[in-house]
Amino acid sequence: MNSPYIHEVRLPSQYNSEQRYPVIFALHGMGSDEQDMLRLMEPLQSDFIIIAIRGPIVQCSGYAYFQIKSIGNPIRELYDASVLGLQQLIVDLSAKYAIDPTRRYIAGFSQGAIMAMTLSLVMGDAIKGIVAMSGYIPQFVKDEYKLQPDSELSVFISHGDQDHLFPLQLGEDNADFFRQHTDHVTYVPYNGGHQVTPDLYQRFQQWLRKDANLTTEDLNEDLKGLNS
């Protein structure tokens, strides 16, 4: 497989190519890398295939999927290229590993959340759900992309009320936009900045396990009130 996207794969310890596993494609924020997302997703490795993907653009001491003209305004040609490239990579990796096509998830933080939301809007039923932490949907995606999200798409959106990069209103706008396309939207505003807080860390893990039908009764009890 020839792809410009460097990526790292973590397989469940009891991986059996004859079975089918849920997968999380993990996308990092601007200036970060795939190792950050591997650490974030590590507790889920026992049940999910984890594939952390590095952005193709060097950004400071890390990487990016696209560059921006200003906050909220991506450079369109770089953005389009990453959307197409990530779609192809997801298709290619889904053929290479024992991935359950009905349980493909994309999880991202900041720029990774932006890409996760966009990919779920254009890839139809190829994507079961997303975890989008502290991102936004570019206006040109809403206005000009061919949007075809699956009506059963599961969406977890979180946003900090003290985010210095993207104001809380963007998180609320994200949730409202997805509610136009699916009834399965969980929106979690939290007390914090542009970061993954310990509570959020636990909540998105629980949500993923529940949505992929991997939770125990105890975890289901823990999730009571998540959508309140």
Side-chain angles (χ1 to χ4, degrees):
M1 183 179 65
N2 189 12
S3 171
Y5 292 87
I6 292 171
H7 55 277
E8 196 156 334
V9 181
R10 294 282 188 271
L11 300 175
S13 58
Q14 303 300 317
Y15 179 77
N16 179 348
S17 62
E18 299 303 312
Q19 298 181 16
R20 289 293 175 264
Y21 298 85
V23 63
I24 301 169
F25 295 97
L27 307 179
H28 60 77
M30 178 179 280
S32 183
D33 61 27
E34 73 281 7
Q35 297 303 317
D36 271 358
M37 295 306 293
L38 283 175
R39 287 189 288 271
L40 198 62
M41 298 295 154
E42 187 174 10
L44 296 164
Q45 280 182 211
S46 58
D47 299 300
F48 290 83
I49 295 173
I50 310 293
I51 302 177
I53 304 169
R54 180 189 297 179
I57 300 167
V58 174
Q59 183 75 34
C60 299
S61 59
Y63 300 88
Y65 301 100
F66 57 90
Q67 292 174 326
I68 61 175
K69 299 174 185 176
S70 58
I71 295 294
N73 188 18
I75 296 174
R76 177 68 184 268
E77 53 268 32
L78 297 178
Y79 195 92
D80 291 348
S82 272
V83 171
L84 291 173
L86 289 169
Q87 284 187 74
Q88 188 59 56
L89 183 63
I90 288 170
V91 170
D92 291 345
L93 292 172
S94 294
K96 183 176 181 179
Y97 296 99
I99 289 171
D100 181 349
T102 68
R103 291 187 293 173
R104 277 185 287 232
Y105 296 87
I106 307 174
F109 174 74
S110 193
Q111 195 175 94
I114 297 168
M115 299 306 298
M117 289 187 285
T118 299
L119 289 165
S120 73
L121 289 168
V122 300
M123 292 187 70
D125 62 5
I127 304 302
K128 172 63 175 73
I130 59 169
V131 171
M133 299 173 282
S134 305
Y136 63 87
I137 307 168
Q139 193 61 45
F140 63 74
V141 171
K142 297 177 181 179
D143 294 341
E144 300 177 38
Y145 273 37
K146 181 181 178 182
L147 305 183
Q148 51 185 8
D150 188 74
S151 61
E152 295 302 309
L153 178 71
S154 298
V155 178
F156 180 103
I157 290 171
S158 62
H159 216 97
D161 61 3
Q162 300 170 47
D163 193 317
H164 63 288
L165 286 178
F166 308 144
L168 181 63
Q169 184 62 49
L170 287 174
E172 296 170 356
D173 291 346
N174 294 336
D176 287 343
F177 188 80
F178 274 99
R179 289 187 185 111
Q180 299 173 34
H181 299 282
T182 175
D183 293 330
H184 310 290
V185 177
T186 295
Y187 175 50
V188 180
Y190 59 91
N191 182 243
H194 197 71
Q195 65 191 119
V196 178
T197 64
D199 179 64
L200 176 59
Y201 184 60
Q202 295 297 322
R203 296 182 88 175
F204 82 72
Q205 290 178 44
Q206 293 169 357
W207 182 88
L208 279 164
R209 289 184 181 278
K210 179 176 184 290
D211 198 76
N213 295 317
L214 295 172
T215 54
T216 63
E217 193 64 29
D218 288 339
L219 281 175
N220 282 327
E221 287 297 316
D222 289 341
L223 279 168
K224 283 184 177 179
L226 188 60
N227 289 306
S228 62

